[in-house]
């Protein structure tokens, strides 16, 4: 079945870096973009941006530029989120999610939302 | 930056109808999507393009949109429907995607 499996929890010190992986299976990895979503403990969902898995082009939300990098390796059907210069405020659960999209018969694109999610990766930043 | 506004909480008795609203200036032109999140779980898509249900989502979940307000309706709410509900959409340019602040549903 279609699934996204994320890497395990991380405990990091401020200033360090972390790389979260999101391995896709059950579908063609390059056919659906991957989005990243952050959830700070006890708070709501924040859209971080997405990576075009066909071209490798990332797009970042306004609040996630600079220290956040989306990348991918098509050979292992995996997307990555790297956060550098970690801050205590980066403590959160990070989710990857696959886009449900495609083209109608007349070539018009459609977007139906984020239909498959990873289980989440908890990143804790503490001294 | 673009914002979607949801009530922080909604409470409903079992078997009754719950309505969760989502307000955003671009909603007359952009679709709303709804996600359900239960404690300790990843979010789940329950409504797309304002009113369509993915396969496997119970019929008691429905969506609508009018003007600047999108609404998620849960008819005959069940205890199992408790959780947080988030709307999701984009600004008028389509470049800024956002989640609403979330609504905690208590049944």
């Amino acid at each position: 079945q279609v699934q996204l499996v994320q890497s395990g929890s991380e405990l990091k010190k401020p200033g360090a870096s972390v790389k979260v992986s999101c391995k896709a299976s059950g579908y063609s990895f390059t056919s659906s973009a991957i989005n990243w979503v952050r959830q700070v403990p006890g708070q709501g969902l924040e859209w971080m941006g997405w990576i075009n898995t066909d071209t490798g082009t990332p797009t970042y939300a306004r609040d996630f530029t600079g220290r956040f990098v989306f990348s991918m390796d098509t050979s292992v059907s995996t997307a990555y989120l790297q956060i550098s210069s970690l801050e205590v405020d980066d403590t959160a659960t990070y989710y990857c999610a696959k886009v449900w999209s495609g083209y109608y018969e007349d070539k018009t694109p459609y977007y139906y939302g984020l239909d498959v999610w990873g289980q989440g990766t908890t990143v804790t930043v503490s001294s | 930056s673009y914002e979607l506004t949801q009530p922080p909480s909604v409470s409903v008795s079992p078997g009754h109808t719950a309505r969760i609203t989502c307000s955003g200036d671009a909603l007359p032109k952009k679709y709303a999507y709804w996600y359900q999140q239960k404690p300790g779980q990843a979010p789940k898509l329950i409504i797309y393009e304002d009113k369509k249900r993915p396969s496997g989502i119970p019929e008691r979940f429905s969506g609508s949109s009018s003007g600047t307000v999108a609404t998620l309706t849960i008819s005959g709410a069940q205890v199992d429907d408790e959780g947080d509900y988030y709307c999701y959409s984009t600004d008028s340019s389509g470049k800024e995607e956002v989640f609403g602040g979330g609504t905690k549903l208590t049944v």
Side-chain angles (χ1 to χ4, degrees):
Chain A
Q1 77 277 26
V2 176
Q3 62 177 352
L4 299 174
V5 178
Q6 298 184 225
S7 49
S9 298
E10 301 269 9
L11 174 61
K12 296 290 185 181
K13 294 191 181 301
S17 295
V18 69
K19 193 169 187 177
V20 176
S21 66
C22 170
K23 183 172 178 59
S25 61
Y27 73 100
S28 173
F29 177 71
T30 57
S31 67
S32 299
I34 294 288
N35 280 230
W36 289 94
V37 176
R38 182 173 81 173
Q39 187 167 38
V40 172
Q43 298 190 23
L45 305 174
E46 298 175 89
W47 182 73
M48 300 176 65
W50 62 286
I51 186 165
N52 182 322
T53 53
D54 185 35
T55 65
T57 303
T59 298
Y60 301 96
R62 186 175 312 185
D63 290 342
F64 295 96
T65 58
R67 298 187 299 114
F68 301 84
V69 176
F70 306 148
S71 61
M72 65 181 200
D73 184 343
T74 55
S75 68
V76 289
S77 300
T78 300
Y80 302 96
L81 163 65
Q82 184 163 357
I83 311 171
S84 59
S85 303
L86 282 164
E87 304 169 356
V88 172
D89 288 348
D90 293 323
T91 295
T93 296
Y94 294 84
Y95 292 100
C96 62
K98 166 189 160 296
V99 171
W100 182 14
S101 65
Y103 294 90
Y104 294 113
E105 284 190 9
D106 64 358
K107 308 300 184 186
T108 304
Y110 64 81
Y111 171 89
Y112 288 166
L114 306 174
D115 65 335
V116 178
W117 292 64
Q119 81 276 21
T121 296
T122 298
V123 175
T124 303
V125 184
S126 174
S127 56
Chain B
S1 61
Y2 186 55
E3 292 185 356
L4 296 172
T5 302
Q6 298 180 234
S9 63
V10 167
S11 182
V12 65
S13 299
H16 288 239
T17 297
R19 293 181 179 85
I20 299 173
T21 58
C22 172
S23 299
D25 289 342
L27 289 178
K29 299 181 180 180
K30 298 296 183 181
Y31 287 123
Y33 302 78
W34 291 93
Y35 294 88
Q36 174 195 63
Q37 187 181 33
K38 296 184 178 181
Q41 297 185 17
K44 178 181 180 180
L45 178 68
I46 58 172
I47 295 290
Y48 65 98
E49 288 192 338
D50 291 342
K51 58 184 179 181
K52 298 177 182 177
R53 278 179 291 106
S55 173
I57 301 302
E59 290 184 9
R60 65 179 181 276
F61 291 93
S62 63
S64 62
S65 188
S66 179
T68 60
V69 180
T71 302
L72 172 69
T73 300
I74 308 171
S75 304
Q78 301 179 2
V79 173
D80 186 55
D81 297 332
E82 285 196 335
D84 296 320
Y85 290 81
Y86 296 89
C87 62
Y88 174 89
S89 188
T90 69
D91 68 353
S92 56
S93 73
K95 293 182 179 180
E96 184 178 0
E97 303 184 35
V98 295
F99 286 96
T103 299
K104 182 177 181 61
L105 175 68
T106 300
V107 181

